[in-house]
Amino acid sequence: MKNIELNDLHIELGAKMVPFAGYNMPLQYEGLNVEHLHVRNKVGIFDVSHMGEFFVSGDGALDFLQKVTTNDVSKLTDGKVQYSCMPNDKGGIVDDLLVYRISEKEYMLVVNASNIEKDWNWLSSHNDTGALMVDESDDYSLFAVQGPEAVKALQSLTEINLEEMVYYTFDRGTFAGVDNVFVSATGYTGSGGFEIYVKNADALKVWNKIMEAGAAHDIKPVGLAARDTLRLEKGFCLYGNDIDDTTSPIEAGLGWITKFTKDFIGSEGFKKQKEEGVTKRLVGFEMIDRGIPRKDYAIKNEGGEVIGRVTSGTQAPSLGQAIGIGYVDTAYKAADTEIYIDIRNKMVKAKVVKMPFVK
């Protein structure tokens, strides 16, 4: 089990630490609901330093990334970020990721912590363009400062104009007195904010400066539990739950990041799916009757036939209502379709809804 750079700090702050993706991680500090609502309404800081950072550069970098990701990397310009996924050769997804264009011949890939080794091996095995790959996952800490007060909480720490940063763009500059920090207008909460990539040697200094600058805006540390409920309310996929090696981006509703203007690994199969349709689709649903859906619960129709399975579910703090995501047979994908979640051998009524759950 690995420790993130600020492991001891989180213990001092009273975090409940749990093993996650091979790391000891802060699950919560004050409690899930308090932390969740604080991010939605004010501002919170997450330590998500378990995430992986790969740097890809050289003359062959673009051609390589075009082949191993589904989105069109050629559309990126310097300072732009792209959500994408790495397809496998069996019709599934190796991982979802962010692609940062630093320059014409240099990119940063941000991958899921649980997949760092798998992703590295997959990319290495398909690198036939001579792209230079460097894994700096163990060198970086990553802080996500999220919520409507994020700009105000952070602006005093940098000359980068945070107010003018557009969603899915980034800049590199001095932040909290540290040079060469990546400041990215991205996040996994749907509440606005930034992700700050800093070398481990500067992590404690930057964390403390963020907490000092954010004190006037009531910034709080927030754990992984609230990160999960926040992303679920926005209908964001979680790798290992809603997407994995067996699910295609078309089935997962990620056709918008699957561009057939280029060839990539598995593209022919995905193109066929898009043209001919798929047999299952990822949908959001709200519970009508009382009960909380959990991963792998069966989804049934009125007649009791299994028509799918839950991939994520929770009691949504912003809504005071139980919600979930899951795959269903395409006949049941339309909004307002009544479905039933098998909760401890009881058929509990729900209905399909359009995501995001929280607008």
Side-chain angles (χ1 to χ4, degrees):
M1 195 64 59
K2 290 183 175 180
N3 287 336
I4 53 178
E5 185 68 21
L6 301 187
N7 180 76
D8 293 349
L9 173 69
H10 297 302
I11 293 169
E12 281 176 33
L13 291 171
K16 179 183 178 184
M17 305 295 287
V18 295
F20 180 80
Y23 292 80
N24 288 313
M25 295 295 293
L27 181 71
Q28 59 185 35
Y29 302 82
E30 290 182 64
L32 188 155
N33 285 352
V34 171
E35 293 169 30
H36 176 112
L37 294 172
H38 201 78
V39 173
R40 280 277 181 259
N41 298 312
K42 291 185 178 180
V43 61
I45 177 172
F46 304 78
D47 188 339
V48 285
S49 301
H50 60 321
M51 299 293 282
E53 293 86 15
F54 303 158
F55 288 83
V56 179
S57 60
D59 292 340
L62 177 60
D63 288 344
F64 171 55
L65 293 176
Q66 286 288 64
K67 183 180 75 170
V68 296
T69 66
T70 57
N71 212 334
D72 189 351
V73 187
S74 72
K75 299 294 185 188
L76 285 175
T77 54
D78 295 358
K80 292 284 178 67
V81 190
Q82 186 178 75
Y83 179 58
S84 191
C85 71
M86 285 188 280
N88 62 28
D89 49 12
K90 297 179 177 65
I93 298 170
V94 177
D95 202 4
D96 62 337
L97 74 161
L98 295 180
V99 180
Y100 286 69
R101 176 167 149 158
I102 298 167
S103 68
E104 186 182 358
K105 295 180 181 179
E106 186 179 8
Y107 300 82
M108 177 171 72
L109 312 183
V110 181
V111 302
N112 286 299
S114 56
N115 291 335
I116 291 172
E117 186 178 359
K118 181 180 87 163
D119 291 356
W120 181 261
N121 292 340
W122 175 261
L123 290 169
S124 298
S125 71
H126 289 88
N127 183 7
D128 58 5
T129 67
L132 176 65
M133 291 170 48
V134 182
D135 179 3
E136 295 195 24
S137 303
D138 289 339
D139 301 329
Y140 274 90
S141 288
L142 172 56
F143 305 136
V145 181
Q146 299 283 293
E149 299 281 303
V151 171
K152 292 175 185 172
L154 296 180
Q155 187 59 77
S156 66
L157 297 174
T158 183
E159 291 184 0
I160 297 168
N161 190 328
L162 302 179
E163 189 77 58
E164 290 185 359
M165 282 188 77
V166 179
Y167 194 41
Y168 270 68
T169 64
F170 74 98
D171 204 346
R172 259 197 309 184
T174 302
F175 182 91
V178 177
D179 293 334
N180 209 29
V181 174
F182 286 88
V183 179
S184 174
T186 50
Y188 197 43
T189 67
S191 283
F194 302 88
E195 294 183 308
I196 315 295
Y197 298 84
V198 58
K199 289 294 183 77
N200 286 339
D202 299 309
L204 182 59
K205 176 184 177 180
V206 170
W207 173 280
N208 287 336
K209 291 281 190 184
I210 291 171
M211 293 301 287
E212 287 168 21
H217 304 280
D218 197 20
I219 194 168
K220 290 179 185 284
V222 184
L224 290 185
R227 190 169 184 252
D228 190 50
T229 53
L230 287 157
R231 70 92 193 165
L232 183 48
E233 287 185 347
K234 286 293 180 177
F236 296 153
C237 288
L238 173 64
Y239 193 89
N241 281 44
D242 315 304
I243 51 176
D244 59 31
D245 289 299
T246 69
T247 58
S248 87
I250 308 303
E251 293 169 337
L254 297 176
W256 61 281
I257 63 165
T258 310
K259 302 296 168 61
F260 299 112
T261 50
K262 60 166 196 168
D263 290 327
F264 56 86
I265 293 166
S267 58
E268 284 305 310
F270 294 138
K271 190 174 184 182
K272 190 176 179 186
Q273 281 187 340
K274 190 157 192 178
E275 290 167 351
E276 298 179 4
V278 290
T279 58
K280 64 178 181 179
R281 275 298 299 266
L282 192 66
V283 299
F285 61 88
E286 292 177 351
M287 300 304 297
I288 295 172
D289 295 337
R290 281 184 64 128
I292 299 177
R294 300 295 186 195
K295 178 171 160 52
D296 293 330
Y297 282 7
I299 302 175
K300 297 182 175 181
N301 62 17
E302 195 173 11
E305 297 172 293
V306 175
I307 56 165
R309 68 178 178 91
V310 177
T311 55
S312 292
T314 195
Q315 178 75 12
S318 303
L319 302 170
Q321 181 175 20
I323 59 172
I325 298 176
Y327 285 94
V328 297
D329 297 345
T330 48
Y332 299 89
K333 72 175 185 178
D336 296 322
T337 301
E338 281 195 356
I339 56 176
Y340 295 82
I341 313 303
D342 189 334
I343 301 178
R344 291 184 289 279
N345 297 318
K346 184 181 176 188
M347 297 255 289
V348 184
K349 189 185 288 187
K351 70 172 181 179
V352 175
V353 296
K354 282 189 174 179
M355 294 188 284
F357 301 97
V358 171
K359 303 294 185 281

